[in-house]
């Protein structure tokens, strides 16, 4: 694919547009990717750079599709499961665990690996739960709803859970697995932009916002963290990615000892 020439000003315009729509702060390393994506979309729509930029500004779906190609949606089952195990151990020791319906929000769920990993662990413990799983990207949500994954995505899933909650594909699905319906039914997928969308009005026992704030700048991360704080029940949990930190942000969470990526309200 032929990439196009992009002046510094044009790159800055595009970078600003992506930032305003998603909070994602593109770094120079994404320039080449951006150029080839632009060339492809300009050819497809028959528009000049200027025309395409106005189109991008006006069409939310196009900008999100565009953002999709410059961010990483990388995820896998049981990724960074230490904080999830900690949350589950606590939930499972609660005296009201038989009557309480645990509500969890995966706020940047990508292709669904994260919410389904949570769901199989809740299910194994016999807890009553529901998971809201959201992302800015339509394409990852479409994959999530299907619940079909390449085998390499599930290599961290413990054998008994693999056996109970997944079906191995055959024929044209050789090398793939499908999440069973009894798990899928616990998860509601929805589009949600952490930057622009108002937080849900109901409250959650735990909110996970993992491996997305690495793309945000300080002020954007601070706004997101404080918006999510409001959606968490008293003593509820907030989990971020292992490579992320709330250290320089103004926030009201308390750290959970020994699990640096886990916080409590
Ligand atoms: C690397 S994935 C993380 C997936 C999962 N949480 C994990 O830790 O494996 C980051 C996800 O954040 C999503 N994302 C980026 N900007 C977003 C925004 N402003 N609002 C909601 N989701 C966003 C991307 O579409 C992508 O699917």
């Amino acid at each position: 694919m032929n990439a196009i020439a992009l002046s510094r000003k044009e790159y800055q315009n595009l970078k600003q547009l992506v930032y305003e729509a998603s909070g994602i702060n593109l770094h120079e390393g994404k320039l080449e990717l951006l150029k080839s994506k632009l060339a492809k979309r300009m050819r497809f729509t028959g528009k000049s750079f200027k025309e395409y930029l106005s189109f991008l500004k006006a069409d939310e779906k196009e900008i999100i599709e565009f953002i999709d190609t410059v961010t990483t949606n990388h995820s896998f089952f049981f990724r960074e499961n230490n904080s999830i195990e900690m949350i589950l151990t606590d939930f499972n020791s609660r005296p009201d665990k038989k009557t309480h319906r645990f509500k969890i929000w995966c706020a940047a769920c990508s292709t669904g690996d994260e919410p389904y990993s949570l769901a199989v662990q809740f299910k194994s413990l016999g807890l009553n739960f529901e998971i809201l799983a959201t992302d800015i990207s339509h394409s990852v949500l479409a994959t999530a709803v299907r619940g079909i994954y390449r085998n390499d995505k599930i290599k961290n899933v413990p054998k008994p859970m693999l056996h109970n909650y997944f079906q191995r594909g055959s024929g044209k699905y050789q090398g793939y697995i499908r999440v069973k319906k009894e798990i899928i039914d616990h998860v509601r997928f929805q589009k949600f932009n952490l930057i622009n969308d108002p937080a849900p009005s109901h409250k959650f026992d735990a909110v996970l916002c993992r491996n997305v704030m690495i793309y945000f700048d300080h002020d954007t991360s601070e706004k997101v963290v404080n918006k999510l704080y409001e959606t968490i029940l008293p003593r509820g949990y907030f989990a971020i990615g292992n490579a992320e930190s709330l250290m320089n942000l103004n926030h009201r969470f308390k750290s959970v000892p020994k699990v640096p990526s886990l916080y409590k309200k």
Side-chain angles (χ1 to χ4, degrees), residues 21-24 67-68 71-76 79-80 107-111 114 134-137 140 192-195 209-212 214-216:
S22 67
I24 294 166
I67 289 164
D68 238 14
T71 60
T72 163
N73 299 316
H74 176 67
S75 191
F76 53 92
R79 178 183 193 181
E80 299 172 6
C109 68
S110 189
T111 41
E114 183 177 79
T134 62
D135 201 282
I136 194 173
S137 155
V140 294
F192 183 89
N193 184 343
L194 284 160
I195 308 305
C209 183
R210 307 195 306 167
N211 301 305
V212 59
I214 31 172
Y215 303 113
F216 297 165

Side-chain angles (χ1 to χ4, degrees), residues 5-15 28 31 49:
L6 200 61
S7 71
R8 178 136 295 274
K9 185 153 181 278
E10 287 169 336
Y11 177 64
Q12 289 305 334
N13 276 341
L14 216 51
K15 192 173 142 100
E28 297 286 322
L31 183 61
F49 176 75

Side-chain angles (χ1 to χ4, degrees), residues 40-210:
K40 196 173 154 204
R41 294 306 294 164
M42 282 164 60
R43 257 201 314 275
F44 184 75
T45 54
K47 294 183 192 301
S48 67
F49 176 75
K50 244 179 130 177
E51 288 164 347
Y52 183 68
L53 203 64
S54 327
F55 174 54
L56 255 187
K57 281 185 186 150
D59 190 310
E60 201 218 3
K61 230 177 154 184
E62 182 72 18
I63 180 92
I64 288 171
E65 213 249 312
F66 192 76
I67 289 164
D68 238 14
T69 58
V70 289
T71 60
T72 163
N73 299 316
H74 176 67
S75 191
F76 53 92
F77 282 76
F78 281 67
R79 178 183 193 181
E80 299 172 6
N81 204 49
N82 53 341
S83 46
I84 293 176
E85 274 170 22
M86 186 80 170
I87 295 173
L88 285 165
T89 306
D90 181 22
F91 287 175
N92 199 34
S93 69
R94 275 176 47 167
D96 65 343
K97 71 169 181 180
K98 291 242 161 14
T99 51
H100 186 73
R101 186 167 174 81
F102 291 96
K103 293 189 179 65
I104 315 297
W105 180 18
C106 291
C109 68
S110 189
T111 41
D113 320 38
E114 183 177 79
Y116 290 140
S117 298
L118 270 166
V120 296
Q121 292 175 84
F122 267 98
K123 194 85 177 170
S124 297
L125 293 170
L127 297 172
N128 186 5
F129 70 100
E130 62 187 52
I131 299 173
L132 171 67
T134 62
D135 201 282
I136 194 173
S137 155
H138 302 97
S139 64
V140 294
L141 290 172
T143 303
V145 168
R146 279 179 85 215
I148 297 173
Y149 300 90
R150 284 189 327 265
N151 280 344
D152 59 308
K153 292 262 224 164
I154 47 134
K155 54 180 187 282
N156 292 342
V157 180
K159 283 253 153 50
M161 291 187 209
L162 208 50
H163 177 78
N164 289 336
Y165 306 122
F166 297 84
Q167 284 166 317
R168 288 214 178 268
S170 57
K172 75 172 182 153
Y173 286 109
Q174 188 75 44
Y176 289 82
I177 58 94
R178 182 200 291 277
V179 181
K180 283 191 179 167
K181 189 174 179 303
E182 62 181 291
I183 294 299
I184 294 184
D185 286 347
H186 281 274
V187 187
R188 186 161 55 89
F189 290 100
Q190 205 176 293
K191 193 181 149 300
F192 183 89
N193 184 343
L194 284 160
I195 308 305
N196 301 327
D197 288 333
S201 52
H202 46 274
K203 302 268 191 275
F204 299 90
D205 296 282
V207 171
L208 278 70
C209 183
R210 307 195 306 167

